[in-house]
Amino acid sequence: MSILANITTGRDNRPPRLMIYGQEGVGKSTFGANAPNPIFIQTEDGLGEIDCAKFPLAKSLAEVTSALQALLKEEHPYQTVVIDSLDWLERLIFDDICRAYGVRSIEKADGGFGHGYTIAVNYWRDILALLDELRNKRNMAVILLAHAKVERFEDPESSAYDRYSPRLHKLAAGLISEWADAAMFATKRFRVQKEASGFSGERGIAAPIGAGGGDRILRTNCGPACMAKNRYNLPEEIPLSWQAFIQILMEAKK
């Protein structure tokens, strides 16, 4: 058969692969819980107040892998797999590597010099491959949740500045964000206002915009404030809810 016979055209209508990161309590897990028939693979204990299907708290990388393989091989009603969270999963990966190399720190693995982080990338590739199988063979959407950190970004076109990024090693964060169809930053909308601060000075105060401590949003494109991307031509900001995301996604695909 000619290789040209494998050429396809048109849009990809498979379920989305999403990474969502943000500060604690902003609503990342609630977003995942409102996706179609979700099943959570929890690597941190934070779902007690959310009514959702979930595997027992994973305490090893093997337990995470076993859960993914069970979803791939066994019959079930679930349509979305949610990993909560990536940064706690990274700790399990580091633990596995440390055991394999007989060291107590990922910094010391394979002789040190950062080799442990490079080894971890192969572990991440195996996990992403399983997630791709769930998407391709079981038609499941994938939602990966992570906490945020502030990092120094060295911009070659301007001065360095701080921005939000996933709380992962940079090699893992780069791999996962490239793999995902959308990597989005979850936050609250606010403005900075000035107020007097003794001796005629001023200080900046963050004031929420919207009810309930500020409107909760997803930032979908990279900018000075955060790392983000999407392949769907989404607006720069959308509400932090599955219903809003999927409605905007369907409109963007028209």
Side-chain angles (χ1 to χ4, degrees), residues 110-201:
D110 196 26
F113 301 101
H115 292 175
Y117 299 114
T118 304
I119 294 167
V121 169
N122 293 324
Y123 284 65
W124 281 114
R125 287 196 179 105
D126 290 341
I127 291 170
L128 296 181
L130 281 171
L131 292 170
D132 272 335
E133 284 196 87
L134 287 174
R135 181 184 186 230
N136 296 332
K137 296 180 180 180
R138 303 303 296 264
N139 202 40
M140 295 185 73
V142 178
I143 300 176
L144 309 178
L145 306 179
H147 297 95
K149 66 179 180 180
V150 177
E151 67 171 1
R152 194 70 170 167
F153 180 64
E154 300 290 338
D155 191 334
E157 295 185 341
S158 67
S159 301
Y161 52 85
D162 292 341
R163 70 173 185 177
Y164 286 107
S165 66
R167 194 185 297 170
L168 298 166
H169 187 269
K170 62 182 180 180
L171 294 179
L175 174 68
I176 297 168
S177 63
E178 288 177 10
W179 170 86
D181 298 313
M184 300 179 286
F185 175 55
T187 187
K188 295 181 181 180
R189 196 190 305 276
F190 68 92
R191 65 179 180 273
V192 177
Q193 59 190 34
K194 299 290 186 179
E195 72 171 22
S197 177
F199 300 104
S200 301

Side-chain angles (χ1 to χ4, degrees), residues 55-104:
F55 286 97
L57 179 65
K59 298 181 180 179
S60 69
L61 177 61
E63 291 179 3
V64 174
T65 302
S66 294
L68 291 171
Q69 290 175 338
L71 291 172
L72 181 62
K73 297 175 182 178
E74 300 177 21
E75 291 301 317
H76 58 78
Y78 304 113
Q79 296 175 274
T80 306
V81 58
V82 185
I83 295 183
D84 191 3
S85 64
L86 291 180
D87 33 313
W88 283 70
L89 174 53
E90 185 170 61
R91 299 182 190 187
L92 300 182
I93 290 174
F94 289 169
D95 288 345
D96 209 64
I97 294 171
C98 288
R99 281 192 294 270
Y101 284 88
V103 295
R104 299 181 65 180

Side-chain angles (χ1 to χ4, degrees), residues 190-223:
F190 68 92
R191 65 179 180 273
V192 177
Q193 59 190 34
K194 299 290 186 179
E195 72 171 22
S197 177
F199 300 104
S200 301
E202 288 185 335
R203 63 176 179 174
I205 300 295
I209 299 175
D215 296 333
R216 301 178 188 220
I217 59 171
L218 287 169
R219 291 182 178 163
T220 67
N221 290 304
C222 192

